[in-house]
Every structure is written in C-alpha cells, then in structure tokens.
Amino acid sequence: MQKLLLIVILTLFTSLNIFSQAPKKLNASEIYESIKKLNFLGSVLYVAAHPDDENTRLISYMSNKVKARTAYLSLTRGDGGQNLIGPEIRELLGVIRTQELLTAREIDGGEQLFTRANDFGYSKHPDETLEIWNKEEVLSDVVLAIRQFQPDIIINRFDHKRAGQTHGHHTSSAMLSIEAFDLANDKSIYPEQLKDISTWQPKRLFYNTSWWRYGSQEKFDKIDKTNFISLDIGTYYPSNGLSNNEIAALSRSQHKSQGFGNTGTRGQQMEYIELIKGNIPKDKTNIFEGIDTSWNRVKGGEAIGDILHQVETNFDFKNPSASIPELVRAYQLIQKLENTHWRDYKTEEIKNIIYACSGLYLEAASVTNQATPGETVKLNIEVINRSPISIKLESIECNNTTISKKMELIENNGFEFHEVLTIDSNQKPTTPYWLSEKGTLGMYHVSDESLIGKPETPRVFNVIFQLNIENTLISYTKPIIYKINDPVKGEVYKPFEIIPEASVKISEKVIIFENNQSKNIPVIVKAGRDNIEGFVSLNYPDNWQISPDKQNINIPNKGEEKTLIFTVKPPNNQSEGQLIPVVNIQGKTYSKELIEIDYEHIPYQTVLLPSESKIVRLDIQKKGEFIGYINGAGDVVPESLQQIGYHVTTITPEDINPETLSKFDAIVVGIRAYNTLETLKFKQQQLFDYVSNGGNLIVQYNTSHRLIVDELAPYKLELSRDRVTDETAEVKFLEPNHPVLNTPNKITQQDFIGWTQERGLYFPNSWSKEFTPILSMHDKGESAKKGSLLVAKYGKGYYIYTGLSFFREFPEGVAGAYRLFANMLSIGKENTPIKTSSTN
Ligand SMILES: [Zn+2]
C-alpha cells in the first residue's frame, strides 16, 4: 500500500513538472490548455505578506480555469518564520521559502513577485510594521509590481480594516495594495519607474473574505453580500485528472518548511471576494465583466484571435505539430503589436507552445555545477526536432559569441555539440541578489533597480538557439544547467553556479567564553578550484588575543576543505565582538561562507554570506552542574548551556523516572514540549515529585492551544497569548531582592540590552499565589505584562515558568540572557554542585 501510494505521488509530480530545474515537457493536453490560455488576455494579482499566506485554491482557479495570467505578490520572503525541515533560519529560511513559492507556482500555474520588505518577525500593528519596513520603499515596490504586471484585478488576502487584530504585516499588505491601486496610474508618483514601463490603472480590487472572518458560517450567511462575488472553485480538470482543490493542495504542500502539507478535496467549494475598489460586476460570477479579455483588447489583435481560435478548435491531440504553421503565422502577427506589454508576454507563451507542439528539445548542460571566475567549462549541447515540421538550426549563441550551425533538423534526429564556456575573471559569484548587500531589520537593500521585484537572481549564463521554423526566425534562450545521472534518483538537474575560488567559515556563529581560558577555534577553508595557495588570518576585537597571526593554506582539489586551528584568548572582563576569517590568495581576499541549500522539493542553491562569528566573554557565575533537557519543538538551548560549562543530557519522556531525575541539578523543558510530546503527560507527576524532593524544573514557553496536560505546573497557572514583541521594551524588576535576580549573578538593566526579535511570548496571565512574578514589561500602548518569569517554591525545590525568549537570545550570544538563566538554574543550590561525581 505504502509503495503504491508513493508511485502514485511520484507520477503526479512528474506530470506536473514539479522539479523546478528540470525542463518542462508538455503533453498534448497541457499544450491544449496552454493554447486556451494564449487566447485569454486578462490578469489577476493576488497580494499578501508572507510565503504561505496565499490562497492557492483561488490562484489555481484563476490560472487554470479562468485562464488569466495570475501572480502572487508576497511582500516578504518569510525570513521570520519557523523551519520544520532543517536548521536554516532568517535569511536562509527566506531563500528556502522563496523557492517553495516558485515551486508552488509551477504547480498552480501562477507567477511569483516580491518587494524588498523583510519579514522581521511578528508585529502587532501595521503602524509598527510600516515604521520598521520603509513604507515609501515597499509602497513603491507594490506600485512597480502593478505597473509591470498590469493586473486588471487585484485580490487582497487580508482585510485592510483589521489593524491591531492580526499580524501587522498582513494588514499592511492590504493597506499598501489599496494605496498602490490609487497611485499606479499617476505619472507624478515614482516617476523614476516610468523609463521603461507605463502607468497602469487596475479595474477592480477585492478582499478575499471567508466565513471565518465573521466568526461562523451562520453569521456569514446573514450579512449583506451586495458587494460580494462568489465563485465555485471546485472545478474538475479532466485534462490532468485533478480537481482544482487537488492542484491547490499540491501547491500548498510545497510550503514544507512551514509544515503546510495539505490534502486535496473534490467537489463544489465556494470562495468569496468582496469589492473594495472599482464597480461591482452585474454577473456575480465574472470578475472580468466589462473588461475585454479577448485578442480584440489590443490593436492588431483581432487577426491573431481569428487564427488562434481556429488553432484551439482544430487542435489535434494525436498530432499537435499540425498546429505549427498557423501558430507561426500568429507568432509573426504578435511581433507587430504596438502594445509591448502583451506582445512580450504572448510571444513567450506562443514560443513555448510551438516548442511543445514540435517536440523540440534544446539543452545546454555544463559538465560541472560550480565554476570559478576565469575558469573554462565544457558544455554539452543537445538539439532535436521530433516533428515532421521543417525546422532549421541557424546558429547557437553562447558566451557572447555566435556559432553558425546551419543545419536541417530532420524529424527525430538529434544533434550534440560540444562547446567551451569561458567565465570572465570579473564574474560575480551566484547568490540571491537581495542578500548581497547589507540591509536593515525591515528592508533588503537592492542597488540594482532592475532586480527589484524579481523572485530570484536572473541566470547569467544562457545559450540562445536561433531556429528557422516554417521560414520564420524564432530564438529560444535556455539557461546553462548541470545534469547528472544519479544511481538512485535517475536524472538530476542542478543550476549552474559561479562560486569564489575560496570560501571560509567558522562553524559556531556564537562562541561563548564563560571565563578567561583560551579556546581553540577551527576555521574551515573550502577550495572553489584546484590548487589554491595562500594564507588565512582573523580579524578580531582589540582586547582579545589570537595565535598564530596567520597560517599558510594549500588545497590541491576543488571542493576540498581544510581546517586550521586558531587559539582565541578572551579578556578578563565581559566583552564581545566579531571574529572574521580572511583567506588571502595572491593578494585577493575572501571572507565569505558558501552555504549550500539542498532539499528534494526545491532546486539546489548556494548562498554567499559574510563569514563572521560573535565572540562573547561572559561575566558569569553558576551553581549546579548537571542538567537534564527535555526537547520540545526544537531549540539550541542545550548546546548553549553546554557552551557555558554545564553538563547537559537530553532526555525523552520515556527516560523519566525518579532515579534518572535524581542525577540532575535541574531539568529544563524545551519550547512547546507540552504541545508536542504526547507522552510527557504521563510523567508530569514524576517531574513535580522531583521538584518536591529538591530539584529545579524550568519550563519554557508553550501555547495554550493543544496543551497535552491539564496541570502545567504544581500550582494553578493559565497561559495566554500575551507577548512582548519589542525586544527593547523596558523591563521592570517587580522583586529586586529575589534570588533569581541576585545570585549568583547580580542582574541589572544592562542584562536586558541587546536582546533580539522579542522579549518573550505566550506569557501566563493568571497564576496562584505561590508564584512570584519577577519582571514586568509591555509593548507600546499595552498594559503591563507580569507573567514572563514566574518562580514558585514547591516542597524543597523550585518550579519556574518562563516565556522569555531564551531560545532566541542564546544563539545570538546575548550575555544577559545567559546570566539570568544561570540564576534560574542555580536557585536554591549550594555553592558546590549537588553532584560531585560525574554521572554519565
Ligand atoms: Zn502570514
């Protein structure tokens, strides 16, 4: 059964061309659907804030049923989200989620656009969002997207009127979309954009509402729907054997990093959109009413429409190539259109249809997936025509040189050519364009304006095939790709990328020194080409010491790594700074790390980021030594505690028994453990008994939704959704004399400086009198939240509940977070550790 299911899934994926790097190979049904789409001249832009906000059902419906050109404008790339599939967070997560969106769009037929806004994490209010984003820049990017894409219809995912009730990014996306709707047609707005594109006025703007916006289906049924359009999006597509919602589910399931796997449904399903701008159509099922979506919409289009409707009517599923002469005739007429917007878009569409109808296959494959500037690379070029149509190859252009290759492409007779590509010595390495310059918390910085809005960095190396099809010159541009045969996976495609001749990294991004002892730090150098020779040194803060000054390096083989050890000695007092490794090869310096992102569902990619590690000399005292850690949803708290000298043992609920627990000075429960570990509920009483016998139990944040225990603590404790997202919010000490603020480390305001992303989340808002609230804090305009750190004595030990974001602060090396946590672990402990003998 399992096996059968797998085969079915694989077959589906193949037919949908899900593997983004592999070339699309349309079958006859897909060609026919493309011809229908070629005959529709209308467009829809869907707008929201994050990857995964988009309604894939509606996008798929617009693209596959209505046949509209459909795009999703995600204001951000989702850097602030979680990652369920790997260790990448922040900008690297944004790279993954960008590709997840692109893969989703390949499935549902949409296109993907972005702005320069950065997902900086949760935001309670659009006022805050638009302050941290540069509002003018994001608005200008939305206006640019409208002017470039020229949508007839805009659909917002979110309600612009819900400020303060949902994520500030969401409300902001709707507000900016509405503002841009009114501005895009105004020549005086962002005139610098109007060099190559023109102003544009979309006709209607909708909000994609739903019954849950109104609390219940019942309430929704009662509201006035004069301005609503209802669409039955449950269409079935016989051409690929899937319902619209099955396609949408496959698309949505690409958001794997967010755990958004989705099961498709069949049958009728209503989708509602509410008119915000423009006039309401009389036909409540046609959002394009009054907009000409036929070829008549463009001057000179009528004749094209006449030809292409015939092509659609006469399409021969057994012989798609029979349509080629007429398609070529239409292609010629499209070239003459004055409307450059539709000319360019329809040219690409019809070229792809001609390509598919003739069974053409054009490919330029490099023998390596990575090359360095100055290198030469061998290319294998394949050209074949698999139709009886007369097609001649005129030339192949590669690397700015045109090679004349005049030859008749006889049906099903393939040609292979071998060419050499020389990479310019000044060629920039391949990396996501939005990460190549330093941005701010809220914005990416993109100095090349032509890149703004693009989903990914355009491929630099392409091969252009000039063909003569039915006496008409048509050129096809194919990016150079890398292709191998994997013994298990079969044909595997990867992008062809340029990498620097050397890259360098320090694995630990934060290195904590809990005293003034030196540490040996490994520096890893990777060769981008054969035979690199040079030396490596480190940049570091003044009051630290490094030895040796520099070390020679010699790596014979491309792709090989060498590790050098440097000794780093911290100063005597609390101090922090950056450690930056630098590789010097014949006067050229390299200090970037090459990060590979390699997952099955998205294309392989490399990202170049500055290689720097934060070094922190902590002024920290601690009591207790052995810690048991119960992992919840996953965090790096155990590794962080190990860095400051604790012996940390990870334990599972199954390991929990009185004997095991007695070995530890403290048990720390990882984030959301009471949401994710079903079996932990059976051990709750044993954990309480452990506290009663003198142990310390520290529980980090959980959410009240899907809590697996009734009693989180030995005393009454109620979780809420209270959170403090401003990481600089003032922290008041409610109990300045409490041991947790005084021993062994004296906690001061200094310890709350330099926190990152937030103070904390899901604080309890109600607790029994045995708990002592230690701190008070709140976001702007809100009441004081006192539940971030609660301490209770229970029997001989202590139970501590904290929603403070230690799991975010530790990996950033925030000294105060370490010092406070050491106090929590030390509370009630003697100066000497309880356990003097090593346990395990
Ligand atoms: Zn969102």
Side-chain angles (χ1 to χ4, degrees):
M1 189 63 205
Q2 200 73 299
K3 207 169 184 177
L4 184 69
L5 195 71
L6 190 71
I7 291 166
V8 172
I9 290 168
L10 285 176
T11 316
L12 267 181
F13 278 14
T14 318
S15 72
L16 285 162
N17 282 309
I18 199 173
F19 305 108
S20 323
Q21 290 308 304
K24 281 198 168 185
K25 299 170 183 172
L26 302 188
N27 62 36
S29 296
E30 289 166 330
I31 296 172
Y32 177 65
E33 295 300 325
S34 304
I35 293 169
K36 290 209 289 192
K37 196 159 182 162
L38 183 63
N39 281 328
F40 191 93
L41 282 77
S43 51
V44 176
L45 181 66
Y46 198 86
V47 181
H50 307 117
D52 79 22
D53 285 344
E54 83 277 21
N55 180 347
T56 54
R57 295 182 306 270
L58 197 50
I59 291 174
S60 173
Y61 179 82
M62 287 299 161
S63 173
N64 296 309
K65 173 66 182 171
V66 180
K67 301 288 181 206
R69 185 184 183 195
T70 308
Y72 172 39
L73 172 62
S74 175
L75 298 198
T76 76
R77 295 173 188 268
D79 296 21
Q82 52 177 340
N83 183 359
L84 296 184
I85 57 169
E88 297 86 357
I89 53 167
R90 303 224 169 155
E91 58 267 65
L92 294 177
L93 178 61
V95 173
I96 290 176
R97 296 185 73 184
T98 296
Q99 292 299 331
E100 289 183 338
L101 276 179
L102 288 169
T103 310
R105 294 297 82 78
E106 284 218 19
I107 294 168
D108 60 35
E111 297 169 45
Q112 188 58 49
L113 307 169
F114 291 96
T115 74
R116 287 168 289 171
N118 194 345
D119 175 7
F120 55 84
Y122 191 78
S123 174
K124 283 177 178 168
H125 200 279
D127 288 352
E128 183 207 40
T129 303
L130 295 173
E131 213 177 285
I132 296 176
W133 288 351
N134 179 328
K135 190 209 157 180
E136 268 308 299
E137 281 183 10
V138 185
L139 180 62
S140 112
D141 290 0
V142 179
V143 168
L144 179 71
I146 293 173
R147 286 170 173 175
Q148 284 176 336
F149 189 75
Q150 300 193 2
D152 298 308
I153 309 291
I154 294 179
I155 302 176
N156 288 348
R157 165 82 280 193
F158 297 106
D159 185 350
H160 62 289
K161 295 183 299 240
R162 292 197 74 197
Q165 297 170 57
T166 174
H167 198 324
H169 296 178
H170 291 167
T171 316
S172 299
S173 74
M175 290 163 62
L176 292 171
S177 165
I178 291 172
E179 207 173 331
F181 181 95
D182 292 332
L183 297 177
N185 204 30
D186 185 338
K187 274 203 290 261
S188 69
I189 303 294
Y190 310 124
E192 69 283 358
Q193 293 178 358
L194 298 170
K195 277 172 280 176
D196 306 314
I197 51 170
S198 49
T199 57
W200 180 252
Q201 182 57 60
K203 295 293 182 302
R204 298 186 177 104
L205 186 145
F206 295 94
Y207 155 50
N208 186 188
T209 190
S210 163
W211 63 264
W212 43 256
R213 165 75 182 81
Y214 296 86
S216 71
Q217 183 71 49
E218 218 180 357
K219 285 182 190 157
F220 180 68
D221 289 343
K222 285 183 194 140
I223 58 157
D224 173 25
K225 296 194 185 61
T226 318
N227 278 339
F228 281 39
I229 297 250
S230 54
L231 304 163
D232 175 8
I233 55 156
T235 314
Y236 172 64
Y237 304 110
S239 54
N240 55 13
L242 294 171
S243 73
N244 185 65
N245 291 352
E246 287 175 316
I247 294 177
L250 287 173
S251 167
R252 187 139 190 85
S253 298
Q254 297 314 305
H255 295 302
K256 296 189 190 304
S257 66
Q258 308 307 298
F260 277 5
N262 196 276
T263 300
T265 58
R266 289 153 292 278
Q268 194 188 51
Q269 190 176 352
M270 298 312 289
E271 194 69 53
Y272 297 92
I273 52 175
E274 180 184 356
L275 186 81
I276 307 291
K277 293 252 171 197
N279 63 332
I280 189 80
K282 285 189 194 71
D283 173 0
K284 290 297 184 64
T285 60
N286 180 12
I287 60 169
F288 284 100
E289 190 186 84
I291 301 166
D292 190 349
T293 56
S294 75
W295 276 103
N296 295 341
R297 141 173 228 163
V298 286
K299 194 176 152 201
E302 206 178 329
I304 300 169
D306 288 345
I307 299 169
L308 291 178
H309 281 291
Q310 284 303 312
V311 170
E312 186 180 324
T313 310
N314 300 329
F315 183 73
D316 182 352
F317 285 82
K318 289 184 199 154
N319 179 21
S321 69
S323 300
I324 293 177
E326 290 302 285
L327 283 166
V328 170
R329 214 152 64 84
Y331 170 85
Q332 290 168 342
L333 294 176
I334 290 172
Q335 302 319 297
K336 292 179 187 148
L337 289 177
E338 284 170 28
N339 183 320
T340 53
H341 175 75
W342 285 114
R343 181 196 67 198
D344 295 348
Y345 178 62
K346 290 295 169 187
T347 294
E348 280 312 301
E349 272 193 303
I350 198 166
K351 271 168 58 178
N352 290 335
I353 292 169
I354 294 169
Y355 185 91
C357 283
S358 53
L360 267 169
Y361 192 83
L362 307 170
E363 183 176 271
S366 157
V367 297
T368 172
N369 74 319
Q370 293 178 330
T372 51
E375 207 178 320
T376 54
V377 176
K378 285 183 190 150
L379 298 181
N380 295 322
I381 297 175
E382 182 185 347
V383 178
I384 189 169
N385 163 26
R386 291 170 288 177
S387 73
I389 298 293
S390 154
I391 300 180
K392 291 189 200 79
L393 175 64
E394 295 287 337
S395 64
I396 293 174
E397 189 187 320
C398 166
N399 209 13
N400 291 323
T401 47
T402 305
I403 310 143
S404 177
K405 291 277 184 196
K406 286 186 191 301
M407 61 181 69
E408 185 83 32
L409 299 178
I410 299 154
E411 183 176 4
N412 219 19
N413 265 326
F415 294 95
E416 278 210 13
F417 309 108
H418 303 285
E419 297 291 337
V420 173
L421 173 73
T422 306
I423 315 288
D424 191 276
S425 57
N426 294 318
Q427 180 60 47
K428 279 195 203 147
T430 318
T431 195
Y433 71 87
W434 61 95
L435 297 179
S436 54
E437 296 166 75
K438 196 163 178 60
T440 62
L441 175 64
M443 297 299 295
Y444 299 117
H445 189 254
V446 181
S447 48
D448 180 353
E449 283 170 19
S450 71
L451 293 172
I452 293 173
K454 289 210 171 12
E456 56 183 344
T457 315
R459 294 279 153 202
V460 178
F461 296 101
N462 297 294
V463 170
I464 302 167
F465 299 85
Q466 189 77 247
L467 302 182
N468 185 324
I469 305 175
E470 292 278 307
N471 297 316
T472 302
L473 285 180
I474 301 181
S475 72
Y476 289 94
T477 302
K478 297 284 172 184
I480 292 175
I481 46 86
Y482 169 68
K483 182 170 86 166
I484 43 158
N485 180 61
D486 179 279
V488 176
K489 297 176 190 164
E491 191 176 55
V492 172
Y493 282 86
K494 281 185 183 180
F496 171 67
E497 301 190 309
I498 305 303
I499 57 169
E501 55 182 345
S503 55
V504 59
K505 73 168 178 183
I506 298 174
S507 296
E508 307 266 13
K509 295 299 164 233
V510 173
I511 306 162
I512 307 280
F513 295 77
E514 84 266 26
N515 50 40
N516 61 2
Q517 278 176 15
S518 304
K519 284 191 179 181
N520 286 337
I521 307 298
V523 174
I524 304 161
V525 181
K526 186 172 185 176
R529 61 164 171 83
D530 290 344
N531 299 319
I532 65 163
E533 225 174 297
F535 63 89
V536 182
S537 59
L538 293 172
N539 292 343
Y540 55 95
D542 282 346
N543 50 346
W544 293 61
Q545 292 167 38
I546 306 274
S547 66
D549 259 359
K550 58 181 183 183
Q551 299 188 49
N552 290 331
I553 185 113
N554 183 337
I555 307 182
N557 300 309
K558 173 179 176 176
E560 192 181 337
E561 288 183 345
K562 277 222 168 132
T563 302
L564 305 171
I565 304 290
F566 286 86
T567 302
V568 178
K569 184 166 170 45
N572 287 323
N573 302 319
Q574 191 148 321
S575 163
E576 61 182 58
Q578 297 292 339
L579 199 58
I580 299 169
V582 183
V583 184
N584 190 311
I585 299 173
Q586 289 157 359
K588 282 190 179 172
T589 57
Y590 301 92
S591 56
K592 285 192 169 166
E593 177 177 354
L594 186 72
I595 299 150
E596 296 174 88
I597 295 185
D598 196 5
Y599 290 99
E600 288 279 329
H601 66 304
I602 52 174
Y604 169 93
Q605 290 175 91
T606 53
V607 182
L608 271 179
L609 289 179
S611 180
E612 49 191 31
S613 292
K614 185 175 177 183
I615 43 177
V616 183
R617 162 73 167 99
L618 276 184
D619 181 6
I620 194 167
Q621 305 289 325
K622 43 189 209 303
K623 298 180 202 169
E625 191 179 353
F626 297 98
I627 294 170
Y629 200 88
I630 303 169
N631 255 317
D635 53 63
V636 295
V637 172
E639 291 86 339
S640 301
L641 295 177
Q642 250 153 0
Q643 278 223 18
I644 57 168
Y646 284 104
H647 296 271
V648 185
T649 308
T650 305
I651 53 175
T652 65
E654 290 68 32
D655 297 332
I656 294 175
N657 59 54
E659 199 204 326
T660 308
L661 293 177
S662 71
K663 293 177 188 163
F664 299 110
D665 298 316
I667 299 291
V668 180
V669 183
I671 60 166
R672 297 206 309 279
Y674 289 104
N675 298 124
T676 54
L677 294 180
E678 259 318 304
T679 51
L680 191 53
K681 65 181 166 202
F682 304 121
K683 304 294 178 145
Q684 189 71 335
Q685 190 53 50
Q686 293 187 26
L687 288 171
F688 294 164
D689 292 344
Y690 161 76
V691 178
S692 175
N693 292 330
N696 277 356
L697 180 62
I698 299 172
V699 180
Q700 299 174 84
Y701 95 90
N702 290 276
T703 65
S704 55
H705 181 59
R706 291 197 189 150
L707 210 51
I708 54 121
V709 287
D710 296 329
E711 305 298 335
L712 200 52
Y715 305 114
K716 191 178 136 322
L717 186 69
E718 299 279 345
L719 298 184
S720 76
R721 298 185 64 82
D722 287 351
R723 59 199 294 171
V724 176
T725 53
D726 179 359
E727 69 274 20
T728 64
E730 188 197 351
V731 178
K732 285 198 179 121
F733 295 175
L734 298 171
E735 296 288 335
N737 298 321
H738 195 281
V740 84
L741 291 180
N742 290 283
T743 50
N745 303 293
K746 175 79 183 160
I747 302 298
T748 67
Q749 287 299 329
Q750 188 67 32
D751 292 300
F752 289 95
I753 292 173
W755 282 50
T756 177
Q757 192 154 341
E758 63 189 354
R759 288 286 188 209
L761 66 174
Y762 300 110
F763 298 158
N765 63 352
S766 157
W767 48 84
S768 77
K769 61 178 188 333
E770 284 84 359
F771 279 107
T772 305
I774 306 294
L775 305 170
S776 170
M777 59 190 75
H778 60 88
D779 278 330
K780 211 161 64 183
E782 295 193 349
S783 62
K785 306 283 182 269
K786 298 181 180 176
S788 66
L789 176 57
L790 298 167
V791 184
K793 184 114 210 261
Y794 178 67
K796 288 186 243 161
Y798 286 87
Y799 177 96
I800 299 179
Y801 192 90
T802 182
L804 291 172
S805 295
F806 291 102
F807 70 104
R808 290 201 203 282
E809 311 311 320
F810 286 169
E812 298 294 324
V814 177
Y818 279 96
R819 285 162 44 85
L820 179 58
F821 209 90
N823 282 8
M824 289 156 56
L825 291 167
S826 305
I827 192 165
K829 301 289 164 212
E830 299 305 320
N831 267 320
T832 48
I834 286 178
K835 295 281 167 272
T836 44
S837 62
S838 175
T839 43
N840 53 354

Short mmCIF file of all heavy atoms in Angstrom, two decimals, residues 49-50 52-53 158 167 170, ligand 1:
data_model
loop_
_atom_site.label_atom_id
_atom_site.label_comp_id
_atom_site.label_asym_id
_atom_site.label_seq_id
_atom_site.Cartn_x
_atom_site.Cartn_y
_atom_site.Cartn_z
N ALA A 49 1.31 39.02 2.54
CA ALA A 49 2.56 39.43 3.18
C ALA A 49 3.66 38.37 3.16
O ALA A 49 4.83 38.69 3.05
CB ALA A 49 2.28 39.83 4.63
N HIS A 50 3.28 37.11 3.32
CA HIS A 50 4.29 36.06 3.51
C HIS A 50 4.11 34.91 2.52
O HIS A 50 2.99 34.67 2.07
CB HIS A 50 4.17 35.45 4.92
CG HIS A 50 4.19 36.45 6.01
ND1 HIS A 50 3.14 36.65 6.86
CD2 HIS A 50 5.14 37.34 6.39
CE1 HIS A 50 3.43 37.61 7.73
NE2 HIS A 50 4.64 38.05 7.46
N ASP A 52 3.10 31.44 1.98
CA ASP A 52 2.10 30.58 2.64
C ASP A 52 0.81 31.35 2.99
O ASP A 52 -0.18 30.76 3.38
CB ASP A 52 2.62 29.81 3.86
CG ASP A 52 2.74 30.63 5.16
OD1 ASP A 52 2.07 31.66 5.31
OD2 ASP A 52 3.52 30.19 6.01
N ASP A 53 0.81 32.69 2.85
CA ASP A 53 -0.43 33.45 3.05
C ASP A 53 -1.39 33.23 1.88
O ASP A 53 -2.60 33.40 2.03
CB ASP A 53 -0.16 34.97 3.10
CG ASP A 53 0.47 35.42 4.40
OD1 ASP A 53 0.42 34.64 5.37
OD2 ASP A 53 1.01 36.54 4.44
N PHE A 158 -5.84 39.88 2.79
CA PHE A 158 -6.20 40.33 4.13
C PHE A 158 -7.09 41.58 4.10
O PHE A 158 -7.15 42.30 3.12
CB PHE A 158 -4.94 40.58 4.96
CG PHE A 158 -4.14 39.33 5.16
CD1 PHE A 158 -2.94 39.13 4.47
CD2 PHE A 158 -4.60 38.33 6.00
CE1 PHE A 158 -2.22 37.96 4.63
CE2 PHE A 158 -3.88 37.15 6.16
CZ PHE A 158 -2.69 36.97 5.48
N HIS A 167 -1.68 39.91 12.49
CA HIS A 167 -0.28 40.24 12.22
C HIS A 167 -0.21 41.58 11.45
O HIS A 167 -0.89 41.75 10.43
CB HIS A 167 0.30 39.11 11.36
CG HIS A 167 1.80 39.04 11.34
ND1 HIS A 167 2.60 40.15 11.36
CD2 HIS A 167 2.64 37.97 11.31
CE1 HIS A 167 3.87 39.77 11.32
NE2 HIS A 167 3.92 38.44 11.30
N HIS A 170 0.22 41.49 7.77
CA HIS A 170 -0.95 41.12 6.97
C HIS A 170 -1.78 42.37 6.64
O HIS A 170 -2.09 42.63 5.48
CB HIS A 170 -1.81 40.11 7.74
CG HIS A 170 -1.16 38.77 7.88
ND1 HIS A 170 -1.62 37.80 8.73
CD2 HIS A 170 -0.08 38.24 7.26
CE1 HIS A 170 -0.86 36.72 8.62
NE2 HIS A 170 0.08 36.96 7.74
ZN ZN B 1 1.37 35.50 7.01
#
